[in-house]
Every structure is written in structure tokens, then in C-alpha cells.
């Protein structure tokens, strides 16, 4: 087999490269630690492939610009961190409501507010789900390695196009700034926006098609005139307050994700077959958790790992299945227990958390301490 | 006594420290400072110390002017306004880009504060990305020169004119290389009732790539080449201008800085320099600098 050249990359760079590989051709962003390298990299690389890099005046406009670009038919992305993510929330809700595909990268740093710009965190797990108001659909992915920053960014664009939804790459500061040797995959799957199957006069961008099929979003300027709004709308896109249409509009938003969990949710299991204890960890903390599993196994303890790669929708059914077999869940995270809460909801069994909010990574030793201290 | 205590973590030759020092020197002890994120905030307040000898609050980017407005309104409501000066002091990114919405509101309402923009022409705290105040053709980490461009492709946003258009009673440009002029204008700004504005040119050794001993020299060159005109505007009209008797060619300013180095090596660079000379020539005519 031909061996590919190893590349020494950091997570932010790999994310930007993944976006380019997925066909992203417009980036709009605003500098903020620890995500800035994504913008810097793309400011150099995008023009080379005929793409557009725009440095915006803030994060509100950054998110606005990628929505506009996507409506014009260009795959688009922005990248930010904590305070910037907060500023993007209103536009994020607009993209979800108007069903505009786009990718938002949030390289998490310590919060709240300005928090700890140069220290990593996983404090935005809940904000990525519920940061914008109202019941809205969202897909959130969490990479644990530099390679995954590349592959999951491609996946994020595919999901965005497939489900006409904003997708969030929820990286933490450690993954974003980590350097690793990687071999980029030779073949990747790229999903592009499908062509419409009907002429302009018949086109309803928000139609409820049988089987939950999603209407392709036709780029502005191709002769398909339609209405886009953040208001609750009917199938043509025009605002409505008719009860049935309101319900249909909101149901469709939720069910396009809910009915496709099998396709959207990705998890990784490690040594779970015979496990008594299941660690649930994502992002960089999953690396520590994997090491904790190895240490525990050496000590004869039956410990395994469930790693949600898709954080939202949360892999609830996987957890429920595992909970039939294991006696205890251990949930380490760099926050006060945001995923822990979801684990409790999924399986009201014994679960303990390992939290860390001081800007340092949860260590394998910390996780082991909890495991060894748990009387089974 | 300096009201910005020594021992802060500014780079050698830091323009922010010089600017803040002059502002505090001009205003005196009875000042409240609102300061958004940026080099000035980071370097003056390393845990557990503060270089500020006056009350100081670290705001966000978008809320600097609104927080200042709130402080001023509260002092008035409590009958404690007296002679206290409320001063918002932010960098160019915080001022001309992300913070402009809130600043516009403050100046539209005419709240009794002074806003000081310390303009070092890029986002220095996050690693020299371009801002709306980055000059034409300057190289930054997000406006790199190459086969597609000569650097930042747009001219500086004219923030003083935008503020003046709000009906501000007093708008002035200053430079940290002219301390007396700067302190006089700051004093005048805080003493005039209403929302007043000071835009200070502030050369950054790290971001502009020049020797740390040259901060003042570079600032002077900007004025002497007419790239940074010093003037005052009262109620929208220019009322005073600092004359530049024999303007130097812009090359003298450009060649002294790493961020313009490419203009002297790239093909077509000469033409680009002449475009920058055109900017200086426009300033000379528009502001009547001669």
C-alpha cells in the first residue's frame, strides 16, 4: 500500500483543511483566541482556490455573512470561541429556522464571558444545543484528535447540506491547538447541494415531502424566487400564524433530525463488551479516558469507554443500551457536568462525574481515582 | 506621579502604555476608565496586580461605550457626577469594528463621556489581524501580501468623521508622539459636556515590526508625511490643524516598518507606494496642512 506522507498539523489547521476539502469556498470570521489560526490559514489558502475570505467587524456579521453566502449557493463557514459564540446565537437560530446549511466552528475556551482566552474548556456543550432561543434543530460534532478535526469538518459540511441545517464543530482549546502527525485520508465523501427536481413555479423551499425528504435549497439568482424569513413560515416560506401551518413548520424542523438519528449519530466504543464501568467522554478528555481504560484493564478492572462523536443529537439510545450491562457511568469533562446531566437523563442509574474547570485537562489519574473509589 | 503604575507587562516601547499615561496625566485623579479587551487591558492587569491608579473596569468589545454611558447616567442619577470624568478607552478594533454600534448610540444620545481610541491599526492582542483602521497595503496576518494582493486592500475607516457626523461637540486626532498636543486635546475633550472623541495614532513595535526604540520616531513620521493629520473638530467643523511645513515623502514612513516592507521588494510596489502618497496628498489638501 502506498504510504501517504505524514503531515504535522494542529487541530485548527486540520479543521480549515477539512473545510477546503469539503468544498467550503467562503469563510467570514473575526479573530478570537483560540480559534484565530483557522481564519489566518484560510486568509492565505482560500484565495488560491478561488474562494473568498472576509474578515468581518464582529461575530454577529460573521455568522450573517455565511448565511448570505450559503443562500447564494456557496458552502460557507465561520470559526469562533466563547464570547463570539454567544454573539452568533441569534443568527444561528435564523439559520436553523430558515434551514440554511452552514458550519460554525467553536473552539471552546474557559468561560463565562471573557473567561480564560488561552485555556481550554468544554463549557459550551449546553450552549451549542440551547444557546439560541426556541425549540430548534442542531447538529454538534466533537473531535478528539487533529485527524478528526479534518474528517469531522468534512462530515459537518455533508450533514449541513443533507439536512439543510447549521452544524457546529465543537472543538476544545486543546484539540484546536494540539499538534499531531496525521495522514489525511485518500478518499473522502463530499455531499453537494442537490439540484431542484421541480421548475421555479412549483418550488416550495419548505415543503413537507413524503418520507421526510428534504427540499433542496436552490441558490439565489437561479430563477427560483422564494421567501426567506426567521418567522414561522408555510411551505412557500411566507410567515404564517395558521395553527396547523405553525405546527407543521416547527415539527418539520425537529423531525428532520429526530427521524434520522441513525444516520447522524456517530459514537466510538472502546472495550465496552464486558465492561462494568462505562466512561462517557468527548473531545480531548476522551483521550485521557481511553488511557484510564488501559490503566484500569491492567489492574483487572472491567472499564470501557463510550465517546460521543456526535454530541447533539445526544446518543441517548446507545447509552440506554449500555446501561443495561454496566453498573456505573463515569463522566469526565472540562465543565461542571453538562454531559453528565444528559447521562443521568438517559439512564437514571448510578453515574458519577469528574469535573475540572481550572483550565487544565482532566487527567487519566483523576478518572482512575473516581473509578477506584467507586464501590461496585 | 504617573497614574498608570510601572511594572505592567507591556512590550518595550509599547504605544498603549504611553497613550494611557498621557490620558490619565491630562484628566487627573477624578476619572473612571472603561477598557475593553485588548493589549492595554491584558498587560495592565496581570493577576493579582493592576497598573491603574484610578477606578477601572474591563468591559467586553461591544459594550465599552454603553457601559460608560451607564456609569455616567448612574452618577447623574445619584447626584454624584461632580467633576468625575467617565472615559472609555479602547483599541482600533474595539472602536471602529465590533464596538461601533454601541459607540454610535452613546454619541447619538450625547452622553457626557469621552471616548479615546488608541489606534495601532490592527488587532495586536490576538496576533496582528487587520482591523477597519489598518492602513492601505499594510501586511497583517489576515491581509498578507502575495500574488493576489499588496496587503490590506482598503483605506483606513475615517472614524473621526463618523463621530463628527453624530453631532459630537468635540472630535480630535492626536498622536502619542506629540504629548503636549495630545494632553491638551484630552483635557479639552473631558471638559466639554457631551460625548467627545479622541482618536490617537499609536505605533506598535510588535505589530508594525520596527525597533522598540523607534515608537515615537515612527509616530512623528506619520504626522510629518501627512499620513496622520492632527486636527480638532468642533460641532462638525474643523477648527484647528497642526501644520506640516515640508511634508516628507511617504517612503520615509513606510520603509521604517516591516509591515510595508513588501512594497519595496514586490513587482509593482512602486505604484502602490504612489497610491499611498496620494492619500497623504489628499490629507494635505483636505485638512489644509501646509
Amino acid at each position: 500500500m502506498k504510504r501517504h506522507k505524514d503531515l504535522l498539523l494542529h487541530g485548527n489547521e486540520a479543521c480549515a483543511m477539512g473545510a477546503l476539502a469539503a468544498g467550503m469556498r467562503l469563510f467570514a470570521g473575526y479573530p478570537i483566541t483560540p480559534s484565530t489560526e483557522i481564519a489566518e490559514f484560510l486568509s492565505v489558502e482560500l484565495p488560491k482556490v478561488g474562494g473568498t475570505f472576509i474578515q468581518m467587524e464582529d461575530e454577529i456579521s460573521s455568522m450573517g455573512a455565511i448565511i448570505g453566502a450559503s443562500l447564494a449557493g456557496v458552502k460557507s463557514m465561520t470559526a469562533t470561541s466563547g464570547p463570539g459564540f454567544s454573539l452568533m446565537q441569534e443568527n444561528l437560530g435564523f439559520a436553523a429556522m430558515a434551514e440554511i446549511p452552514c458550519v460554525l466552528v467553536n473552539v471552546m475556551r474557559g468561560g463565562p464571558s471573557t473567561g480564560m482566552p488561552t485555556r481550554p474548556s468544554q463549557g459550551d456543550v449546553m450552549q451549542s444545543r440551547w444557546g439560541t432561543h426556541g425549540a430548534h434543530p442542531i447538529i454538534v460534532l466533537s473531535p478528539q484528535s487533529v485527524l478528526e478535526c479534518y474528517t469531522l469538518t468534512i462530515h459537518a459540511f455533508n450533514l449541513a447540506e443533507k439536512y439543510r441545517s447549521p452544524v457546529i464543530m465543537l472543538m476544545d482549546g486543546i484539540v484546536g491547538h494540539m499538534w499531531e502527525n496525521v495522514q489525511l485520508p485518500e478518499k473522502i465523501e463530499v455531499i453537494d447541494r442537490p439540484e431542484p427536481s421541480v421548475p421555479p413555479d412549483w418550488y416550495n423551499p419548505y415543503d413537507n415531502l413524503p418520507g421526510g425528504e428534504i427540499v433542496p435549497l436552490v441558490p439565489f439568482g437561479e430563477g427560483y424566487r422564494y421567501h426567506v424569513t426567521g418567522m414561522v413560515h408555510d411551505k412557500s416560506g411566507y410567515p404564517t400564524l395558521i395553527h396547523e401551518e405553525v405546527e407543521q413548520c416547527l415539527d418539520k424542523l425537529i423531525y428532520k433530525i429526530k427521524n434520522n438519528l441513525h444516520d447522524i449519530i456517530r459514537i466510538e466504543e472502546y472495550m465496552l463488551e464486558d465492561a462494568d464501568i462505562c466512561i462517557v467522554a468527548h473531545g480531548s478528555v476522551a483521550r485521557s479516558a481511553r488511557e484510564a481504560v488501559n490503566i484500569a484493564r491492567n489492574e483487572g478492572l472491567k472499564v470501557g469507554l463510550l465517546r460521543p462523536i456526535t454530541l447533539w443529537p445526544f446518543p441517548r439510545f446507545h447509552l440506554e443500551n449500555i446501561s443495561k450491562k454496566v453498573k456505573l457511568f463515569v463522566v469526565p469533562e472540562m465543565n461542571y457536568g453538562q454531559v453528565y446531566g444528559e447521562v443521568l437523563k438517559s439512564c437514571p442509574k448510578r453515574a458519577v462525574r469528574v469535573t475540572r474547570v481550572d483550565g487544565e485537562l482532566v487527567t487519566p489519574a483523576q478518572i482512575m481515582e473516581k473509578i477506584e473509589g467507586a464501590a461496585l | 506621579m504617573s497614574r498608570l503604575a510601572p511594572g505592567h507587562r507591556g512590550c518595550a516601547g509599547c504605544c498603549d502604555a504611553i497613550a494611557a499615561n498621557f490620558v490619565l496625566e491630562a484628566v487627573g485623579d477624578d476619572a473612571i476608565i472603561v477598557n475593553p479587551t485588548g493589549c492595554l487591558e491584558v498587560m495592565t492587569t496581570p493577576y493579582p496586580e493592576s497598573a491603574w491608579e484610578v477606578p477601572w473596569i474591563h468591559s467586553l468589545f461591544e459594550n465599552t461605550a454603553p457601559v460608560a454611558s451607564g456609569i455616567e447616567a448612574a452618577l447623574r442619577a445619584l447626584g454624584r457626577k461632580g467633576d468625575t470624568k467617565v472615559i472609555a478607552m479602547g483599541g482600533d478594533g474595539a472602536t471602529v469594528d465590533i464596538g461601533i454600534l454601541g459607540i454610535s448610540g452613546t454619541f447619538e444620545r450625547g452622553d457626557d463621556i469621552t471616548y479615546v481610541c488608541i489606534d495601532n491599526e490592527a488587532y495586536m492582542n490576538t496576533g496582528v489581524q487587520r482591523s477597519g483602521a489598518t492602513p492601505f497595503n499594510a501586511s497583517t496576518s489576515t491581509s498578507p501580501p502575495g500574488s493576489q494582493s499588496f496587503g490590506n486592500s482598503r483605506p483606513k475607516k475615517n472614524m473621526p468623521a463618523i463621530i463628527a457626523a453624530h453631532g459630537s461637540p468635540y472630535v480630535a486626532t492626536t498622536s502619542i508622539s506629540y504629548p503636549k498636543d495630545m494632553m491638551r486635546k484630552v483635557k479639552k475633550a473631558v471638559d466639554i459636556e457631551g460625548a467627545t472623541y479622541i482618536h490617537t495614532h499609536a505605533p506598535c513595535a510588535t505589530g508594525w515590526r520596527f525597533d522598540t526604540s523607534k515608537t515615537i520616531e515612527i509616530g512623528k513620521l506619520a504626522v510629518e508625511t501627512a499620513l496622520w493629520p492632527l486636527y480638532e473638530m468642533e460641532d462638525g467643523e474643523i477648527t484647528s490643524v497642526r501644520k506640516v511645513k515640508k511634508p516628507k515623502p511617504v517612503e520615509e514612513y513606510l520603509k521604517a516598518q516591516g509591515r510595508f516592507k513588501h512594497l519595496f521588494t514586490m513587482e509593482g510596489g512602486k505604484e502602490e507606494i504612489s497610491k499611498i502618497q496620494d492619500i497623504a496628498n489628499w490629507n494635505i489638501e483636505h485638512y489644509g496642512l501646509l
Side-chain angles (χ1 to χ4, degrees):
Chain A
M1 206 178 89
K2 198 176 88 182
R3 191 180 146 78
H4 268 261
K5 217 176 95 187
D6 277 8
L7 291 174
L8 179 62
L9 300 175
H10 62 79
N12 283 344
E13 205 176 352
C15 168
M17 289 170 74
L20 289 174
M24 186 275 293
R25 288 297 178 267
L26 183 133
F27 179 93
Y30 188 75
I32 186 164
T33 306
S35 78
T36 307
E37 295 83 5
I38 297 173
E40 288 179 343
F41 180 85
L42 290 170
S43 77
V44 176
E45 296 303 320
L46 264 172
K48 292 182 187 168
V49 293
T52 306
F53 167 87
I54 318 176
Q55 187 184 313
M56 302 300 287
E57 67 275 18
D58 61 25
E59 289 89 349
I60 299 173
S61 352
S62 301
M63 192 67 205
I66 70 165
I67 287 171
S70 183
L71 271 173
V74 177
K75 287 186 184 177
S76 59
M77 179 171 99
T78 187
T80 189
S81 185
F85 191 46
S86 292
L87 284 176
M88 289 178 180
Q89 293 300 329
E90 190 188 15
N91 269 296
L92 183 64
F94 179 83
M97 183 58 141
E99 299 188 64
I100 298 165
C102 53
V103 173
L104 190 173
V105 184
N106 175 17
V107 189
M108 289 180 284
R109 69 190 211 182
S113 192
T114 311
M116 295 183 288
T118 57
R119 293 278 187 270
S121 154
Q122 293 180 323
D124 306 347
V125 171
M126 279 305 182
Q127 192 192 12
S128 71
R129 178 63 196 90
W130 296 114
T132 192
H133 59 279
H136 60 279
I138 198 78
I139 299 172
V140 180
L141 307 176
S142 164
Q144 68 159 358
S145 66
V146 173
L147 179 62
E148 271 190 0
C149 287
Y150 180 84
T151 55
L152 285 185
T153 302
I154 297 169
H155 186 50
F157 276 97
N158 288 346
L159 289 172
E161 292 299 334
K162 201 167 172 185
Y163 294 105
R164 261 183 72 179
S165 170
V167 176
I168 296 169
M169 275 290 284
L170 197 65
M171 294 158 54
D172 58 63
I174 291 179
V175 168
H177 278 171
M178 182 163 59
W179 290 84
E180 285 187 296
N181 254 356
V182 291
Q183 286 186 32
L184 300 183
E186 216 169 329
K187 274 190 185 158
I188 55 167
E189 188 205 4
V190 171
I191 297 177
D192 288 321
R193 212 166 290 183
E195 299 278 321
S197 53
V198 293
D201 286 352
W202 297 1
Y203 182 63
N204 281 313
Y206 301 98
D207 211 353
N208 271 305
L209 296 181
E213 195 192 323
I214 293 164
V215 181
L217 187 67
V218 185
F220 272 15
E222 293 193 0
Y224 287 70
R225 290 186 60 188
Y226 55 95
H227 196 75
V228 179
T229 175
M231 296 178 83
V232 172
H233 43 264
D234 67 5
K235 64 181 180 179
S236 68
Y238 283 97
T240 178
L241 287 175
I242 298 168
H243 301 174
E244 299 78 33
E245 286 180 351
V246 170
E247 202 173 9
Q248 254 179 28
C249 168
L250 298 178
D251 277 358
K252 184 175 140 256
L253 284 181
I254 301 304
Y255 282 103
K256 73 175 175 182
I257 302 295
K258 248 192 173 160
N259 290 341
N260 292 292
L261 295 181
H262 58 282
D263 181 49
I264 296 169
I265 291 180
R266 281 191 190 181
I267 53 124
E268 185 185 69
E269 295 187 0
Y270 180 60
M271 310 207 86
L272 267 180
E273 300 78 16
D274 62 340
D276 294 326
I277 295 176
C278 173
I279 306 175
V280 182
H282 72 280
S284 60
V285 175
R287 307 278 287 257
S288 291
R290 196 181 174 96
E291 179 60 15
V293 171
N294 293 338
I295 296 169
R297 289 280 169 175
N298 275 338
E299 291 178 11
L301 296 167
K302 288 182 177 170
V303 179
L305 168 67
L306 174 76
R307 177 168 75 92
I309 297 169
T310 311
L311 261 185
W312 301 107
F314 195 71
R316 186 172 179 159
F317 297 122
H318 292 87
L319 261 132
E320 283 172 4
N321 275 335
I322 294 164
S323 75
K324 290 173 194 152
K325 297 184 283 186
V326 304
K327 296 176 184 134
L328 180 72
F329 285 97
V330 177
V331 191
E333 9 178 10
M334 287 190 283
N335 58 44
Y336 282 110
Q338 298 186 18
V339 168
Y340 169 74
E342 288 307 300
V343 174
L344 280 186
K345 259 202 242 171
S346 309
C347 29
K349 259 196 167 181
R350 280 192 67 197
V352 292
R353 58 188 143 176
V354 185
T355 62
R356 189 147 194 185
V357 294
D358 62 351
E360 294 292 332
L361 180 62
V362 178
T363 61
Q366 261 183 294
I367 301 170
M368 278 310 294
E369 210 176 295
K370 236 358 173 231
I371 288 170
E372 283 162 349
L376 290 183
Chain B
M1 189 203 76
S2 167
R3 290 172 185 85
L4 190 79
H8 58 69
R9 312 295 199 263
C11 303
C14 171
C15 56
D16 280 1
I18 297 169
N21 241 317
F22 291 162
V23 170
L24 294 179
E25 185 65 30
V27 181
D29 291 324
D30 200 1
I32 296 173
I33 308 287
V34 184
N35 182 191
T37 299
C39 286
L40 183 62
E41 167 262 320
V42 168
M43 86 204 192
T44 54
T45 56
Y47 177 83
E49 300 161 347
S50 173
W52 298 87
E53 306 277 10
V54 295
W56 177 91
I57 179 172
H58 171 207
S59 67
L60 300 171
F61 284 127
E62 326 81 86
N63 69 359
T64 312
V67 166
S69 287
I71 292 172
E72 190 265 343
L75 289 176
R76 251 188 303 121
L78 295 169
R80 282 180 15 210
K81 182 77 170 66
D83 287 330
T84 305
K85 309 297 184 192
V86 181
I87 297 158
M89 207 186 309
D92 47 300
T95 304
V96 314
D97 295 340
I98 185 166
I100 198 170
L101 183 70
I103 294 171
S104 180
T106 294
F107 279 81
E108 183 225 320
R109 290 185 303 270
D111 299 336
D112 189 18
I113 67 132
T114 296
Y115 193 104
V116 180
C117 171
I118 305 176
D119 181 4
N120 56 21
E121 305 190 325
Y123 292 85
M124 299 314 178
N125 190 44
T126 44
V128 202
Q129 294 83 22
R130 74 166 291 281
S131 80
T134 299
F136 179 64
N137 276 341
S139 162
T140 70
S141 53
T142 50
S143 65
S147 61
Q148 305 294 316
S149 86
F150 286 96
N152 189 49
S153 59
R154 298 281 300 160
K156 267 177 96 74
K157 191 187 280 190
N158 190 345
M159 190 67 181
I162 294 170
I163 299 291
H166 283 74
S168 169
Y170 186 73
V171 173
T173 60
T174 64
S175 161
I176 61 165
S177 300
Y178 296 81
K180 275 189 185 163
D181 178 77
M182 177 169 170
M183 286 189 277
R184 178 183 66 82
K185 287 171 176 169
V186 171
K187 181 83 177 85
K188 193 167 170 183
V190 296
D191 284 343
I192 290 174
E193 202 173 325
T196 53
Y197 183 76
I198 299 288
H199 197 112
T200 286
H201 197 237
C204 166
T206 310
W208 300 9
R209 286 176 274 142
F210 57 78
D211 188 87
T212 52
S213 66
K214 307 275 191 221
T215 305
I216 301 301
E217 209 172 292
I218 299 283
K220 278 192 173 155
L221 277 171
V223 173
E224 288 165 357
T225 53
L227 281 171
W228 185 251
L230 298 178
Y231 58 87
E232 290 173 287
M233 290 174 97
E234 291 177 51
D235 298 317
E237 299 296 330
I238 294 177
T239 49
S240 93
V241 172
R242 187 188 176 94
K243 300 285 182 186
V244 184
K245 279 190 190 112
K246 274 189 184 164
K248 293 179 173 168
V250 294
E251 278 96 336
E252 289 199 29
Y253 175 63
L254 303 176
K255 73 182 178 199
Q257 306 168 49
R259 63 175 176 159
F260 293 114
K261 199 177 159 193
H262 57 283
L263 297 177
F264 296 91
T265 56
M266 283 170 71
E267 203 177 312
K270 219 171 182 176
E271 222 165 85
E272 294 303 308
I273 292 172
S274 79
K275 289 180 191 167
I276 297 174
Q277 185 62 57
D278 289 345
I279 296 172
N281 294 347
W282 186 87
N283 285 341
I284 291 167
E285 191 164 326
H286 181 77
Y287 296 103
L289 297 181
L290 291 180

